[in-house]
Amino acid sequence: MTRGAGTVDLTDVDVFVAGGHPAVFAHLRAHDPIHLNRGADGSRFWALTRYEDVLWAYSSHELFGSTRGAIVGGSFRSEEDTSAGKMLVSTDLPRHRMLKQIIHPAMSTSVAKRVAARVSVLLDDALARLRRNGGGDFATEVATELPAGALMEIMGLSHEEAHHLIGLTRRMVGYRDEVFVETGGDERLRLAWLQAEIFEFFTDVVAARRRDPGEDLITMLLHGTVNGRKLTEEEVFYNCMNVAVGGNETSSYTGCTGLLALLDHPDQYDLLLSRPAIGSTVVDEMLRWSSTNAYVQRVVLRDVERGGVTFRAGESVTLWNYSANRDERVFADGDRFDATRSPNRHLSYGAGLHRCVGAPVAQAELSLLVEKIAAQGLRLKLAGAVRRLRSNFILGVTSLPVEPV
Ligand code: HEM
């Protein structure tokens, strides 16, 4: 991906892995804010890079639909994603509202409290182990306990099952990364195969909940109705997968990139340790800084003009949370990690109709992580090479070796 407008290719994953994307987005925001991306992989999509354009698209549900799925080029059978109209995140109104009514209670404030209690215990254990061992890989030994605790409470899984499922969602989101999968062959078929592995996992869990219902998301999906009709087994699987991928691959990666930001900005790390009360602004800055879910995809529902560009019905549009969150028009000195930044109206959870339904859970998980680091006065330092996930969709760190100072 070169810097000249028109030659930028946002599908070039290597640029993200090498950390070149902040400069590319700064260039696009300044010179080509609504960028027509022609990918080397044959893809063609619009990329919105300024905050106000991204927010406009999030808020214009009548113009931009979600049925093409989350990932550019992710659907392999047709233009429409196979999950369209079945999985919450790939469903438009009015069906989206009905599906959300079923799923939302599984992530209510009372569930978020239970998640917090569970994650607290798991984190205490993981951090104590890290100290005892004189260090470890924060990405695999600590951060994964955030989604593990959430899955245990939201889906009623055991700790072991939760980690097994995290391994599967990690492979799916890491479908271009040789750490997780054998690369080579057709990427879209590989993605479909990895999705099938997750469905297989849920086959047994769903059968168990049918026999023995609980108060978890899976039981809610089995009993919920849309237009008076129960969800099909496929719809149940898709929504389990939505919550699993949505929850597993975001909060733990944000915890890692958030810690990395503190390690890269020792003055801000000092500030947190000396003033633990700033924990909540630190969490929001980690979310903004990381923008773990780098973009979301929409499909144009009817022709519309903006910024001198005409979006035609059927075209793909990507809303770059990462770039919006660094937009100098909204965030003063946006390329600086500022632990006390306020206000901080980041778009890391999206906005509008599809705004992250798991945000209260994620907020609880990340707050605990930051609170514990601050309360324990835990000063960590890098103890090896950092490895970034090979993705332009989820910006994560797959290996973060650290040791206590
Ligand atoms: C740092 C953590 C997280 C980030 C950055 C994040 C990001 C996002 C974003 C950007 C969207 C909007 C998608 C769109 O507009 O197309 C979204 C939706 C969603 N997220 Fe999250 N998420 C996080 C945590 C979670 C957690 C913990 C869960 C579940 C336990 C979850 C489940 C979902 C679901 C089910 C949706 C679909 C909502 C809908 O379509 O109405 N997320 N998330």
Side-chain angles (χ1 to χ4, degrees):
M1 179 161 59
T2 52
R3 296 273 188 82
T7 53
V8 167
D9 180 5
L10 296 170
T11 67
D12 186 349
V13 178
D14 293 327
V15 174
F16 289 80
V17 179
H21 52 297
V24 171
F25 284 117
H27 170 84
L28 287 178
R29 284 195 303 275
H31 303 291
D32 186 19
I34 301 180
H35 168 71
L36 179 59
N37 201 93
R38 293 175 194 276
D41 58 2
S43 60
R44 179 188 180 280
F45 57 89
W46 294 102
L48 307 183
T49 60
R50 284 190 185 163
Y51 188 97
E52 64 169 335
D53 290 333
V54 171
L55 191 56
W56 164 73
Y58 267 127
S59 317
S60 307
H61 313 124
E62 69 295 350
L63 298 174
F64 299 103
S66 291
T67 55
R68 192 151 291 165
I71 303 178
V72 170
S75 63
F76 75 107
R77 279 185 208 138
S78 63
E79 273 292 280
E80 201 164 74
D81 195 86
T82 43
S83 66
K86 297 174 193 148
M87 182 161 83
L88 187 67
V89 78
S90 343
T91 300
D92 292 338
L93 285 173
R95 202 174 162 76
H96 176 268
R97 185 180 301 118
M98 295 181 259
L99 263 181
K100 192 164 171 178
Q101 272 167 6
I102 301 175
I103 294 168
H104 191 251
M107 271 154 263
S108 62
T109 334
S110 60
V111 176
K113 274 192 190 141
R114 277 183 7 227
V115 170
R118 177 76 72 171
V119 169
S120 179
V121 175
L122 295 175
L123 266 183
D124 281 341
D125 285 353
L127 291 173
R129 216 170 26 245
L130 193 82
R131 278 185 195 273
R132 229 179 13 251
N133 296 342
D137 191 336
F138 188 86
T140 54
E141 294 165 32
V142 180
T144 47
E145 294 297 14
L146 303 178
L151 287 175
M152 289 168 82
E153 293 304 323
I154 293 172
M155 295 195 180
L157 302 181
S158 69
H159 190 234
E160 197 186 345
E161 287 169 327
H163 275 284
H164 182 59
L165 180 54
I166 291 166
L168 296 176
T169 55
R170 204 123 286 200
R171 276 161 61 75
M172 184 179 159
V173 162
Y175 77 110
R176 285 175 166 150
D177 193 324
E178 69 273 8
V179 164
F180 296 106
V181 294
E182 263 186 43
T183 51
D186 186 328
E187 275 191 350
R188 292 180 306 166
L189 280 177
R190 194 186 318 134
L191 189 57
W193 171 255
L194 293 162
Q195 175 185 306
E197 280 186 355
I198 298 179
F199 277 21
E200 204 178 301
F201 170 89
F202 280 116
T203 306
D204 292 342
V205 182
V206 167
R209 291 300 180 281
R210 274 195 206 284
R211 288 192 303 273
D212 187 12
E215 287 176 9
D216 53 284
L217 171 75
I218 299 164
T219 305
M220 289 175 189
L221 287 168
L222 285 171
H223 290 97
T225 55
V226 169
N227 284 331
R229 181 182 67 72
K230 283 198 166 187
L231 302 187
T232 63
E233 185 123 304
E234 195 191 17
E235 287 168 331
V236 172
F237 287 164
Y238 265 123
N239 286 292
C240 288
M241 184 173 80
N242 193 168
V243 172
V245 176
N248 295 356
E249 302 309 302
T250 50
S251 51
S252 60
Y253 280 139
T254 305
C256 292
T257 42
L259 174 64
L260 187 57
L262 291 177
L263 297 171
D264 285 342
H265 300 82
D267 59 325
Q268 303 299 295
Y269 202 157
D270 284 344
L271 202 60
L272 171 65
L273 294 188
S274 62
R275 285 171 55 198
I278 63 166
S280 69
T281 57
V282 171
V283 169
D284 276 319
E285 185 66 345
M286 284 179 168
L287 283 155
R288 184 191 74 86
W289 183 256
S290 309
S291 301
T292 305
N293 189 168
Y295 73 84
V296 304
Q297 178 174 225
R298 295 291 188 263
V299 57
V300 182
L301 298 177
R302 59 178 162 80
D303 292 5
V304 59
E305 196 271 333
R306 184 167 174 103
V309 160
T310 302
F311 301 100
R312 301 274 175 210
E315 288 181 330
S316 279
V317 180
T318 50
L319 288 54
W320 287 86
N321 298 323
Y322 183 90
S323 184
N325 282 343
R326 298 285 177 114
D327 190 339
E328 33 293 287
R329 289 154 202 80
V330 178
F331 301 99
D333 216 353
D335 279 331
R336 196 169 65 85
F337 183 87
D338 176 358
T340 54
R341 187 180 291 277
S342 178
N344 189 346
R345 287 186 290 270
H346 65 76
L347 294 177
S348 296
Y349 292 125
L353 201 63
H354 288 275
R355 184 178 187 274
C356 182
V357 68
V361 170
Q363 210 70 19
E365 293 172 29
L366 293 166
S367 300
L368 272 167
L369 178 65
V370 170
E371 277 164 25
K372 285 189 189 293
I373 288 175
Q376 297 179 14
L378 181 59
R379 161 83 62 191
L380 297 168
K381 68 169 176 144
L382 269 184
V386 175
R387 199 186 172 284
R388 289 183 188 277
L389 176 67
R390 225 178 151 270
S391 172
N392 63 350
F393 176 64
I394 295 289
L395 305 182
V397 164
T398 57
S399 186
L400 183 59
V402 290
E403 57 188 37
V405 178

